[in-house]
């Protein structure tokens, strides 16, 4: 066993990584190792639970405890892990099929129950492992083996879904943004409760460039707005653009800083404001910069704690059983 | 009836045959409550008994309708009582619909108590009766006692000034009072229970107690000619250290025992479904030992239970037929990753929604074979409501010892039927041992195996130095790394199967319940039919037949010695509440000509039907 503190590479395994060369998952794995080293907990107290899909191979490549389960059910498995042992640090990894399609129900309920899990949705807007069918996050018009004429069904916006489900921590990041992603992951880990992070992830083989400029490091600042609690919403490589909030429409609007009389008119990010969070979630490319960072974070009772379950110790034994079995008076 | 007459009637009560009483009325009439109180009073009277709540899936069906009829049957007697009885000696019908649907359940010449307050044109129409059975002579073969129970209840409760609607609700206790009179039962225990149950609403307790006493007093005033000709069995055979217990309650206590004997909390995950929900309710009332999770669906319940087992607890999930279908993929995962898991299936009439409150044994093939891939796992079935307790402990031991899911097949009858349960002596039950694991040098090998059981080591997250990864992809024997190697897959498939079949070596030897090895016919039962088969075989042998009975608690792997036993008999027949699932399995496994007595009407076997069927098989040319 390695002595703490561990370095990022100490979290690797001897397993050959089986993702396609250039897959965004490599970048997420790298960021994850950095975060785990930074958090400083023993790999023996960390668990990665995954469903099925490219993203779901994640646990095999980390030296923590890991469980590659069945399609869509990772959040439910993870809930069981926490019920048995709430002291563990539990991460759930899945793709857009896992989290938003076959396992959508479990995502909804893990979030609304506020189970202390870090739920990482690797969104590549395509089914990779089954060879490229459109997914529930693919935009209308996506041509794929199952939609040769282009898809017609409306995609789900995972951040809106999470907020709608009552999630108390919702964030978004992108695979290639290696200074930003670890910060978001660390914040997710610090939150006691269900932490939902959508990570925009490029699938080089079936959906290359699906997120356009967002995860292209040279252009990302034009296509995204980095949220900082308490700071004005400014974006652009030259920090020349911003968002203002129109109280009349309840929506954000883009503006050039030069057009503003004062910077005071810029919207200030307030993580605790659910109405603003929903308005932020509505901002999508290409019309708007996509918000990255912690979109919403609010305190709420955690599922396991709220039930008074603590640790793995049982207060139940033969004495209690005998009392239970004896006939009622 | 005078005291002397009562006493005279009780002479020879020790030898009196068992009696069957059946209550039937609207699902909102409090039939189950009255029946359960009667069962408690039967226990107090130290008779042995078995109950059968027979109710519809509808919660409060429209009053007076045929489909809204709820019934409760109890058999009690001086000797051991194994079944709730075939047909009733006493039937209490609360309305025309209850009479119409339940009259076939009354013996010829039986006592029929009818609340005649609803036998007007409207009531008869709802029951789809063309003529009034109280007047058309169709009840001539029975000892009819027709009483306007509603009117009498209202009269009795008049001083309490509760209003007609609330006062009428006490009619089930008025009837119970009358039935208590018939069997010479004291009223005190029920009165005490009502007082404590309605502590916060003393007026409700008072109303029911008043009705109970009034019904009881009414019995005293019955003319001798109207007094039913019954001799209540009255014997002190009841065990001292016992309490009334349904199979569902016993199962909940069994799970509480698993936690206590293992000194570790277990995790129970389920999604509400009839008739499995009673288990969830019973467990939710516990104050420790079992961590409850009402999941968002059946799949989440099964997978959360697997997560709990992965994390070092024992995951338990329960459901009924449709729910078991949904859990199938998860059970396959637990088999593939070799984690313990307890799956309880409270079977009901199927397919699909079928008959949610009615018993059937039609999930056996699914439990044994119903998964994709080669995915064997142990399957057990409790034989009696009592056994529901012990089988939980045994199933947990097997799950942990084999690192495998174990499916336990209960059913709607076992879950709801209550009997007198001897409280087990916990001190005689050994601890449930969890495998111990210590850090080892070098990389941990999660798929090495115990030489005897072939089980793999279980290292829960949090164990220092043993972090490892498992998953549903095929694993290399030993290391557990992903492997698509053809020889390895063949080896792993055969190892998983051998792990389950080897369990048979460690199970108790198969024994005949009744009869001898050189009998003329072997009746093979499993699960909830135990009482009916045992009673039928006992009676047949008493009549000079040579019938033997074997009852399978372990359905997979099949017990060692079963094949040889079957071959001892010229006839072997299963008796099952399905179309022959066990007989098919036995034929397939043994190439033995096992036939089947099949019943699929959503009811437990009647002893008389079983006897007739067994006789038919005895007369068939031997195989």
């Amino acid at each position: 066993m390695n002595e703490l503190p561990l370095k990022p590479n100490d979290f690797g395994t001897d397993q050959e990584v089986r993702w396609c060369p250039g897959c965004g998952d490599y970048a997420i794995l790298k960021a994850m190792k950095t975060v785990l080293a930074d958090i400083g907990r023993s790999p023996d107290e960390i668990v990665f639970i995954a469903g099925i899909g490219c993203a779901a191979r994640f646990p095999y490549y980390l030296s923590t405890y890991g469980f590659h389960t069945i399609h869509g059910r990772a959040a439910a498995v993870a809930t069981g892990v926490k019920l048995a042992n709430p002291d563990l640090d539990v991460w759930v990894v899945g793709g857009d099929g896992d989290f938003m399609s076959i396992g959508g129900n479990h995502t909804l309920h893990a979030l609304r129950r506020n189970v202390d899990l870090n739920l990482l949705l690797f969104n590549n807007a395509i089914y990779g492992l089954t060879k490229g069918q459109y997914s529930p996050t693919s935009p209308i018009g996506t041509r794929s083996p199952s939609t040769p004429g282009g898809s017609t069904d409306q995609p789900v916006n995972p951040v809106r879904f999470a907020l709608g489900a009552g999630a108390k921590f919702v964030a978004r990041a992108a695979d290639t943004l290696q200074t930003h992603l670890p910060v978001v992951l660390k914040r997710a880990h610090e939150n006691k409760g269900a932490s939902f992070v959508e990570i925009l992830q490029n699938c080089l083989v079936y959906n290359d460039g699906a997120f356009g400029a967002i995860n292209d490091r040279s252009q990302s600042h034009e296509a995204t707005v980095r949220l900082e609690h308490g700071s004005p919403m400014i974006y652009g490589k030259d920090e020349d653009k911003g968002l203002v909030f129109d109280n009349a429409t309840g929506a954000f609007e883009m503006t050039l800083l030069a057009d503003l009389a004062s910077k005071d008119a810029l919207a200030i990010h307030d993580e605790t404001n659910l109405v603003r969070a929903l308005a932020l979630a509505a901002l999508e490319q290409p019309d708007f910069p996509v918000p990255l960072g912690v979109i919403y974070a609010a305190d709420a009772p955690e599922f396991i704690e709220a039930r008074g379950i603590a640790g793995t110790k049982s207060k139940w034994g033969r004495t209690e059983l005998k009392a239970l079995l004896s006939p009622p008076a | 009836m005078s005291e002397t007459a009562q006493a005279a009637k009780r002479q020879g009560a020790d030898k009196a045959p068992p009696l069957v009483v059946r209550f039937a009325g609207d699902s909102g009439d409090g039939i189950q409550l009255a029946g359960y109180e009667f069962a408690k009073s039967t226990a107090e009277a130290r008779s042995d008994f078995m109950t059968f709540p027979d109710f519809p899936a509808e919660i409060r069906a429209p009053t007076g309708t045929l489909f809204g009829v709820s019934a409760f049957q109890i058999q009690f007697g001086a000797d051991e009582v194994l079944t709730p009885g075939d047909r009733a000696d006493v039937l209490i019908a609360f309305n025309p619909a209850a009479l119409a649907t339940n009259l076939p359940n009354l013996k010829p010449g039986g006592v029929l108590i009818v609340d005649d307050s609803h036998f007007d044109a409207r009531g008869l129409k709802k029951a789809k009766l063309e003529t009034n059975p109280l007047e058309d002579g169709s009840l001539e073969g029975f000892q009819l006692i027709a009483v306007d129970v509603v009117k009498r209840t209202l009269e009795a409760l008049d001083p309490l000034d509760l209003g007609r609607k609330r006062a009428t609700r006490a009619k089930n206790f008025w009837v119970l009072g009358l039935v208590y009179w018939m069997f010479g039962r004291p009223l005190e225990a029920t009165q005490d229970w009502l007082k404590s149950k309605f502590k916060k609403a003393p007026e409700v307790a008072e109303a029911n107690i008043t009705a109970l006493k009034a019904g009881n007093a009414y019995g005293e005033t019955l003319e001798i000619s109207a007094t039913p000709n019954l001799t209540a069995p009255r014997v002190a055979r009841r065990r001292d250290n016992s309490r009334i217990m349904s199979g569902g309650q016993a199962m909940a206590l069994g799970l509480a025992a698993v936690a206590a004997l293992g000194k570790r909390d277990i995790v129970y995950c389920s999604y509400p479904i009839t008739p499995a929900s009673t288990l969830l309710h019973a467990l939710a009332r516990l104050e420790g030992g079992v961590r409850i999770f009402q999941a968002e669906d059946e799949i989440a319940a099964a997978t959360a239970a697997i997560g709990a087992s992965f994390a070092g607890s024992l995951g338990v999930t329960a459901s009924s037929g449709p729910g078991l279908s949904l859990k199938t993929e998860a059970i396959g995962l637990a088999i593939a990753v070799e984690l313990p898991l307890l799956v309880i299936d409270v079977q009901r009439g199927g397919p699909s929604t079928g008959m949610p409150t009615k018993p059937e044994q039609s999930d056996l093939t699914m439990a044994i074979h119903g998964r994709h891939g080669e995915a064997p796992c142990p399957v057990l079935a409790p034989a009696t409501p009592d056994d529901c307790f012990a089988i939980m402990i045994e199933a947990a031991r097997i799950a942990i010892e084999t690192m495998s899911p174990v499916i336990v097949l209960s059913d709607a009858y076992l879950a709801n039927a209550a009997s007198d349960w001897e409280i087990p002596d916990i001190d005689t039950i050994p601890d449930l041992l969890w495998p111990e694991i210590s850090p080892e040098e070098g990389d941990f090998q999660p798929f090495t195996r115990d030489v005897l059981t072939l089980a793999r080591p279980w290292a829960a997250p949090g164990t220092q130095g043993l972090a490892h990864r498992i998953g549903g992809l095929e694993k290399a024997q030993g290391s557990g790394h992903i492997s698509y190697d053809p020889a390895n897959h063949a080896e792993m498939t055969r190892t998983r199967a051998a792990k389950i079949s080897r369990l048979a070596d460690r199970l108790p030897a198969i024994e005949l319940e009744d009869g001898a090895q050189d009998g003329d016919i072997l009746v093979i039962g499993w699960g909830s039919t135990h009482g009916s088969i045992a009673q039928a075989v006992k009676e047949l042998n008493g009549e000079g037949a040579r019938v033997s009975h074997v009852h399978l608690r372990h359905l997979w792997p099949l017990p060692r010695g079963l094949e040889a036993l079957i071959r001892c008999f010229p006839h072997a027949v299963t008796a099952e509440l399905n179309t022959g699932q066990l007989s098919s399995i036995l034929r397939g496994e043994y190439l033995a000509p096992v036939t089947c007595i099949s019943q699929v009407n959503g009811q437990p076997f009647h002893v008389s039907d079983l006897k007739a069927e067994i006789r038919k098989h005895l007369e068939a040319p031997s195989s």
Side-chain angles (χ1 to χ4, degrees), chain B residues 251 255 268-273 276-277 279-280 283 298 301-302 305 316-320 323-324 327 342-346 408:
Chain B
M251 220 169 228
L255 290 172
Y268 180 86
C269 311
S270 89
Y271 182 75
I273 185 169
S277 298
L279 192 50
L280 173 65
L283 290 168
E298 296 284 0
V316 185
T317 187
S319 191
S320 299
L324 189 64
K327 292 180 197 297
L342 211 53
V343 182
I344 299 159
D345 175 18
V346 187
V408 177

Side-chain angles (χ1 to χ4, degrees), chain B residues 129-203:
Chain B
L129 290 167
E130 311 239 314
T131 57
N132 186 346
L134 297 178
E135 294 163 357
D136 64 10
S138 59
L139 303 179
E140 263 169 20
F142 304 101
Q143 306 176 55
L144 176 66
I145 303 172
V147 197
D148 190 335
V149 173
V150 171
K151 188 175 149 211
R152 303 247 171 214
T153 307
L154 289 175
E155 279 169 11
L157 269 56
D158 188 50
L160 301 181
D161 208 19
L162 291 169
R164 187 184 165 86
K165 195 176 168 192
R166 290 183 71 197
T168 308
R169 278 194 199 141
K171 68 178 178 181
N172 57 337
F173 279 90
W174 192 95
V175 169
L176 190 61
L178 176 60
V179 178
Y180 279 2
W181 168 80
M182 286 177 64
F183 298 107
R185 298 269 173 85
L187 309 183
E188 285 73 21
T190 299
Q191 294 184 54
D192 291 347
W193 176 80
L194 280 166
K195 280 180 199 155
S196 92
K197 167 89 184 169
F198 296 107
K199 212 178 279 171
K200 286 181 185 154
E203 73 283 2

Side-chain angles (χ1 to χ4, degrees), chain A:
Chain A
M1 207 178 80
N2 294 307
E3 293 295 318
L4 297 174
L6 300 177
K7 297 186 186 64
N9 280 341
D10 294 330
F11 283 91
T13 64
D14 59 355
Q15 294 296 290
E16 202 178 316
V17 182
R18 298 187 185 197
W19 291 314
C20 309
C23 176
D25 290 348
Y26 285 96
I28 304 173
L29 181 62
K30 185 173 170 229
M32 192 74 242
K33 288 178 183 171
T34 305
V35 169
L36 291 176
D38 202 13
I39 289 167
R41 267 195 99 168
S42 159
D44 296 324
E45 293 160 4
I46 302 170
V47 183
F48 276 81
I49 310 277
I52 294 294
C54 296
R57 298 291 179 97
F58 208 73
Y60 288 116
Y61 310 135
L62 288 166
S63 65
T64 64
Y65 280 90
F67 194 177
H68 181 220
T69 68
I70 45 181
H71 203 13
R73 319 302 170 197
V77 174
T79 302
V81 169
K82 286 299 265 191
L83 277 162
N85 185 355
D87 299 335
L88 297 170
D89 212 348
V90 183
W91 299 75
V92 180
V93 174
D96 28 319
D98 249 346
F99 272 44
M100 292 290 116
S101 197
I102 190 168
N105 195 30
H106 310 305
T107 309
L108 158 67
H109 291 280
L111 293 176
R112 63 110 183 153
R113 288 192 187 106
N114 205 28
V115 189
D116 187 24
L117 304 169
N118 306 305
L119 299 131
L120 311 183
L121 161 59
F122 295 10
N123 182 9
N124 59 11
I126 208 77
Y127 283 107
L129 207 57
T130 50
K131 302 203 191 311
Q133 301 84 353
Y134 82 120
S135 92
T137 56
S138 302
I140 290 173
T142 298
R143 288 178 189 277
S144 79
S146 57
T147 50
S151 64
T152 53
D153 42 333
Q154 163 144 333
V156 60
N157 172 328
V159 167
R160 287 172 98 174
F161 175 95
L163 291 168
K168 297 296 186 284
F169 182 98
V170 181
R172 188 190 277 133
D175 52 5
T176 51
L177 307 179
Q178 289 288 312
T179 49
H180 184 255
L181 175 58
V183 177
V184 173
L185 293 178
K186 217 175 154 199
R187 276 291 309 277
H189 177 262
E190 283 162 9
N191 174 56
K192 179 84 180 166
S195 308
F196 181 84
V197 184
E198 179 192 17
I199 304 171
L200 305 175
Q201 175 246 321
N202 194 48
C203 173
L204 200 71
V205 174
Y206 293 110
N207 207 15
D208 193 23
F211 299 106
I214 296 171
N215 41 10
D216 176 342
R217 269 177 292 180
S218 63
Q219 301 174 53
S220 179
H221 279 285
E222 296 298 326
T224 65
V225 53
R226 312 289 169 89
L227 303 172
E228 289 284 346
H229 183 60
S231 299
M233 297 181 190
I234 296 173
Y235 68 101
K237 200 175 175 197
D238 302 323
E239 302 195 340
D240 57 340
K241 304 179 192 74
L243 295 175
V244 292
F245 189 74
D246 184 338
N247 282 312
T249 60
F252 285 98
E253 284 175 5
M254 292 180 298
T255 180
L256 287 171
L257 264 51
D259 292 345
L260 290 176
S262 155
K263 275 194 180 180
D264 292 347
L266 285 169
I268 306 292
H269 181 48
D270 176 4
E271 294 175 348
T272 65
N273 187 327
L274 181 59
V275 175
R276 292 287 183 97
L278 285 160
L280 281 170
L283 304 181
E284 294 177 352
Q285 281 271 287
D287 300 333
F288 290 96
V290 166
L292 297 182
V294 179
I295 293 167
Y296 182 63
D299 283 338
E302 194 275 330
F303 170 73
I304 308 281
E305 266 184 10
R307 321 182 120 205
I309 295 172
T312 53
K313 286 269 183 301
S314 177
K315 289 177 276 184
W316 190 253
R318 285 175 183 265
T319 313
E320 289 75 14
L321 179 65
K322 274 185 198 169
L324 178 70
L325 294 185
S326 56

Side-chain angles (χ1 to χ4, degrees), chain B residues 468-493:
Chain B
H468 64 283
R469 277 65 55 193
I470 58 172
L473 289 165
E474 185 59 285
K475 292 150 289 288
Q477 187 85 283
S479 73
H481 290 160
I482 298 171
S483 169
Y484 302 148
D485 177 66
N488 176 73
H489 178 59
E491 185 190 335
M492 288 292 273
T493 302

Side-chain angles (χ1 to χ4, degrees), chain B residues 218-231:
Chain B
Y218 180 83
E220 297 287 348
T221 66
L222 277 178
E223 295 297 320
I224 289 287
S225 61
T227 305
N229 180 25
L230 285 173
T231 305

